[in-house]
Each structure stands twice: as C-alpha cells, then as structure tokens.
Amino acid sequence: MSNVPADLHYTKDHEWIRLAADGTATIGITDHAQAALGDVTFVDLPKAGQAFGAGEVFGAVESVKAASDLYSPVTCEVLEANGSLNDTPDLVNREPYGGAWMIKVKVKNPGELAGLLDAAGYAAIL
Amino acid sequence: MSEPLARTPLHALHVELGGRIVPFAGWEMPVQYAGIIEEHQAVRKAAGLFDVSHMGEARVRGRDAAAFLDRIMTNDMASIRPGMARYTVMCQPDGGCVDDLIVYRFSETEFLICLNASNAAKDIAWMRSLIGPFKVEVLDECAAWAQLALQGPVAERILGLATALPLGTIKRFGFAVGEVAGASGCVVSRTGYTGSAGFEIYLPAASAEKVARALLELGKPHGLVPAGLGARDSLRLEANYPLYGHEISERISPIQAGLGWTVKFAKGEFVGREALRRQAEGGPAASVVLFSLDDRRIARQGAQVYAGETPVGEVLSGTHSPTLNKPIGTALVAAGYTGSAELTVDIRGNRIPLRIAVEPFVK
C-alpha cells in the first residue's frame, strides 16, 4: 500500500511537511496522492517571497487525468520552489518524499504543526 | 445515479492485472494499468489491448432494415456492402446528436450497430420509436457481446497468431466473422478509436476472458500491454476522433463537430436533415476546433476561450498528448473565431494562447 514515512506531518488533502531544525520546512504531496493522480505532467509552483496562510492554495499539480490544487499545511513564506519539477514533473511519481519536494518555506508559526496529522493519523484516512 | 455499476466479463482480469477501476458511463472500467502515458506509447509503437465491452450493440434486421437505417442515420446506409462497416451519426430533428455509431452490414437485411455505453438504452428506445411502417426489428444485444480493441502497429501480427481469418484481406472498415483463440462467432473488424492501425473484436461475452488472456500472452513478446480508458482518451484526441458528450452531443450537431462528411443530404429524407441543411448552408453559430498549447498546463473541459476579453467558446476535451509532449484539446468556438490566431484559454487565471490545428496530431 501507500508509503507514509513516520517523520513527517500530513494534511487531509495529501500534502506532507518536513520541519528542519532551523525553522524552515519542505512541502510536497504524498505517495498516495501521486498514485491517485497518475502520470504527473506539470507542477505549478509559487515564487520565492510569496506568503500563504494555512489551508491556502499555493499551486497545482497536473496529471494526464486531472488538475489538483496544492494546499499549504501551515502559514509560511516561500524560500524556494523546486525548479527540477519544471523539466521532470514525473519525479512526483517516482520520489514523492524526496526529489519531488515542491516548496521550501519559512514556517511562521511552528505551533500550527501540532494541528496536522501524524503518520498514523494520515495512514488511518487512506 | 443510484443504479449499481455494471461489470464487463473481464472485470476479474482487470483486477488481476492491477487495473485501477473507476466508474464510467454506468460501468466499472479500468482507467489505467501501468500508467496512461506508457500505455499510450505502447499503442503508438507496438500494441495495446482495451476492454471496450461497455459499448452497446443492437441488431437491426428485416426487409426494410437498410431503408429504416437511412431514415434515422445521417450517413448513407443502403450503399454499405455486406462485410463492410460505416461510421455515422444519428440525429434529433433539431440536428443535435443522439449518438455516433458504427454500422456493420451482415447481409441485405441484417445489420449490427455499435452504440456508446452511455447512450445504449436511449439509442435502442429512439430507434424503436422511429420504426413506424418499416418492416424491421431492433434487437438489444448489449449483454450478448463483449468487445476488445487490439490497437497498434503490431496488432495485426498478434491477432494473426490467434486466428486463421485472412486478416490481410480485411480492408479498413471491413470485417470478417470467425474463430479467435478458439472462440467461434467473433466479428473481427479493421476499425479503431486510437489513430493507430488495429482491430476491434466483437465476441460472445462468455468467451471474452479466454480470448483476452490468449491475446495478452501471444502479444507479450511483441510489446502488447493491457490499456485502459485513460490512454483510449489521449489516443482518440490526438487522432481528433469525437467523444459523445464532449465534441458531439444533443446540443452539438455533426455539422458543428466537423463531421459534415457523415451527413449525406443527397440520399433523401432523414431525421435532422432540414436543420442540418440550414447549418451547412448558413454556417453553424459555433464549431469544434482542435488545438494544442505551448505550455504544460492542460485546458480541461469547461475552460473558457477568449478573443481579447470577449468570451467566444469553451473547452470540450483536454489532455496531455504523449506524442507531442504538450497539452491538446478541443473547443467549441463561435463562428468568426474558429480560424483566429489570437485566441486564449483561461487556466486558473492564466491566459494561454490557443494554437488551432488544421489536421489531427496523428494520421
């Protein structure tokens, strides 16, 4: 079944967030999400400096079958978008938790992570 | 919508092969197995096997069968020779499409018609309502038949391993009846919905799984893969084949859809003739165009098309073309704008230039 790494936090909308020690975090979509989307052909990402509230749409991922909005798990400011997804959007299918991270952000309020799902909680809704 | 979903005779095989099953037109169908792009490429380069058993079938027979079909279809039916098939549209009096179909002629008085799954019950009721004085009967054979589509450049070689039928003598839109993989009574026709070479096989429902397994095994060394509805859609859109409910519908006529070649005004009276003639002579208010985008975003069904700030149409189908490696689609565009080089489509607030294609993306 789907891979749900234990060290991440998750949204009900199938994004993951990985918090680093320096207060930054990376955000992507889960293995379950990539499998449901099928072949990903395009990832529409924001630019560095853009800010998003928790639950706000920060981008979209397109597969052959459908377009799906990307929701920010927390209030954050974008530090970097993953440029490699421009040329190789199918990385999302191959490495959803690794090479296909989508945005690197500065987390404004780390306390918001407590409101997200842990791995067990996310696995329970799949 | 509370109707339970139907399953084709190949349902267990789809599950065994790892097919992802989705609801489609009242059926549980595989949208993909290994992946839409991979299956699409297999059909373009080698071969794919599709279960299209959700499609419906009606047998029309009787002394007046040809005359009856000429009255209800837009294309010329009487001139179809036995052993040949013809693509046609069946229209409402206002020119809207009841369905698009393929009509197979078995004899002077007997035809088999392939119906879209979503329209099968409606089509049969519609045909029966128009029988009137014609000496003809319309038989519902939807449950009797399964259908496989074996498509791709090596489809003929693979099918040749499973049948003694002289495939080389079957012309495009021709068919033969015989045994395939030990199953008798199969109708093998050189038709398809992919833009690649290949065959469609109508077979008794009880034989479907045996034949499908045999074809997959015989074809595997030649690159044959099971293919789902996702690849079927991207393949047909590259070839600019219409899909009912998208490019043609009760509100989009064959003239608007660019299917004027299927409408034979000279054959005499048929349902929809006057409305279609007015459209053909005066020009329809809107027509279907094929397009590509120089972008990575896909324009999906319902996306708005603009000329400057004026809305002039909407997208009917959109997908990623693996052959072009860019988005393609169709749109219904108002008269006067269908040749415009200045159209854009709105995708999540971005205005992407629409590049109208004058020919299908594959031939």
Side-chain angles (χ1 to χ4, degrees):
Chain A
M1 302 311 289
S2 293
N3 176 17
V4 182
D7 60 327
L8 307 178
H9 286 84
Y10 298 89
T11 70
K12 292 188 176 69
D13 302 307
H14 311 290
E15 289 86 12
W16 56 259
I17 180 167
R18 177 183 285 124
L19 191 64
D22 62 358
T24 66
T26 47
I27 294 170
I29 66 167
T30 66
D31 183 44
H32 173 83
Q34 71 76 19
L37 283 163
D39 297 331
V40 170
T41 57
F42 179 69
V43 186
D44 211 348
L45 295 176
K47 292 187 170 52
Q50 285 187 256
F52 298 96
E56 265 195 276
V57 173
F58 72 85
V61 56
E62 293 249 16
S63 74
V64 176
K65 280 186 297 193
S68 186
D69 285 333
L70 297 166
Y71 298 95
S72 181
V74 294
T75 304
C76 63
E77 180 184 329
V78 178
L79 299 171
E80 184 186 355
N82 185 353
S84 61
L85 296 180
N86 263 335
D87 298 325
T88 52
D90 57 315
L91 259 186
V92 177
N93 295 115
R94 291 183 277 123
E95 302 176 19
Y97 299 113
W101 62 273
M102 290 175 177
I103 50 174
K104 188 173 185 182
V105 301
K106 181 169 178 51
V107 177
K108 295 290 187 188
N109 175 9
E112 284 177 357
L113 269 85
L116 298 173
L117 297 166
D118 62 10
Y122 178 64
I125 65 168
L126 298 183
Chain B
M1 297 312 284
S2 59
E3 289 272 303
L5 295 173
R7 291 179 170 181
T8 79
L10 298 181
H11 184 81
L13 179 60
H14 299 318
V15 172
E16 181 185 320
L17 292 170
R20 181 177 303 153
I21 310 297
V22 299
F24 178 80
W27 294 76
E28 287 185 51
M29 297 298 291
V31 65
Q32 66 168 62
Y33 303 86
I36 293 173
I37 295 174
E38 186 176 328
E39 293 160 28
H40 181 112
Q41 303 287 25
V43 170
R44 289 281 179 252
K45 291 169 183 156
L49 184 69
F50 301 82
D51 176 15
V52 286
S53 301
H54 59 309
M55 304 289 280
E57 297 83 10
R59 190 177 298 268
V60 174
R61 68 181 180 199
R63 192 190 71 193
D64 296 337
F68 169 68
L69 291 174
D70 259 328
R71 178 62 63 92
I72 66 173
M73 304 294 183
T74 58
N75 211 335
D76 191 342
M77 298 284 106
S79 67
I80 306 173
R81 281 174 288 132
M84 294 297 292
R86 192 162 288 168
Y87 175 76
T88 185
V89 178
M90 182 161 70
C91 280
Q92 304 166 159
D94 68 359
C97 298
V98 178
D99 205 357
D100 65 333
L101 322 107
I102 295 182
V103 178
Y104 295 81
R105 187 168 202 167
F106 283 77
S107 72
E108 283 305 306
T109 57
E110 187 146 352
F111 298 80
L112 189 70
I113 304 179
C114 179
L115 320 166
N116 276 303
S118 55
N119 291 333
K122 176 187 80 170
D123 289 351
I124 289 170
W126 177 265
M127 288 191 276
R128 285 177 175 159
S129 76
L130 294 170
I131 289 176
F134 290 102
K135 296 285 181 248
V136 67
E137 58 181 341
V138 177
L139 305 174
D140 180 344
E141 296 195 355
C142 295
W145 295 97
Q147 267 193 56
L148 297 171
L150 181 61
Q151 300 279 301
V154 300
E156 183 160 354
R157 191 195 306 175
I158 294 165
L159 187 54
L161 301 172
T163 183
L165 285 169
L167 300 178
T169 67
I170 301 175
K171 297 178 191 144
R172 178 136 174 85
F173 276 85
F175 67 94
V177 181
E179 196 172 292
V180 177
S184 56
C186 297
V187 178
V188 174
S189 77
R190 194 184 290 274
T191 49
Y193 191 53
T194 61
S196 287
F199 293 87
E200 290 174 311
I201 307 162
Y202 297 73
L203 60 174
S207 305
E209 186 169 341
K210 181 177 76 169
V211 174
R213 284 184 189 277
L215 290 172
L216 286 170
E217 184 162 330
L218 291 166
K220 198 168 185 178
H222 301 281
L224 175 67
V225 300
L229 291 181
R232 186 168 160 85
D233 192 51
S234 54
L235 288 158
R236 69 96 190 165
L237 204 50
E238 285 186 350
N240 199 25
Y241 291 150
L243 173 62
Y244 191 88
H246 292 254
E247 288 74 27
I248 57 169
S249 66
E250 289 176 0
R251 73 182 177 103
I252 304 177
S253 79
I255 301 294
Q256 292 176 287
L259 297 172
W261 62 274
T262 69
V263 181
K264 300 297 195 299
F265 294 110
K267 73 175 181 170
E269 179 53 31
F270 61 89
V271 179
R273 184 170 186 251
E274 286 319 307
L276 293 170
R277 184 196 285 285
R278 280 196 300 276
Q279 286 184 17
E281 288 173 355
S287 308
V288 179
V289 299
L290 181 68
F291 67 82
S292 64
L293 305 177
D294 292 330
D295 201 272
R296 303 297 289 270
R297 302 173 183 88
I298 294 170
R300 312 269 177 188
Q301 185 178 19
Q304 293 295 304
V305 175
Y306 292 88
E309 291 305 311
T310 309
V312 296
E314 67 173 285
V315 171
L316 302 170
S317 293
T319 192
H320 169 80
S321 162
T323 300
L324 275 63
N325 195 27
K326 56 185 184 178
I328 60 170
T330 57
L332 185 66
V333 173
Y337 295 99
T338 55
S340 171
E342 308 297 329
L343 300 181
T344 60
V345 60
D346 184 290
I347 307 176
R348 298 189 293 276
N350 302 286
R351 291 290 179 83
I352 313 294
L354 207 70
R355 299 175 68 92
I356 292 176
V358 293
E359 292 194 316
F361 300 117
V362 298
K363 292 209 134 185

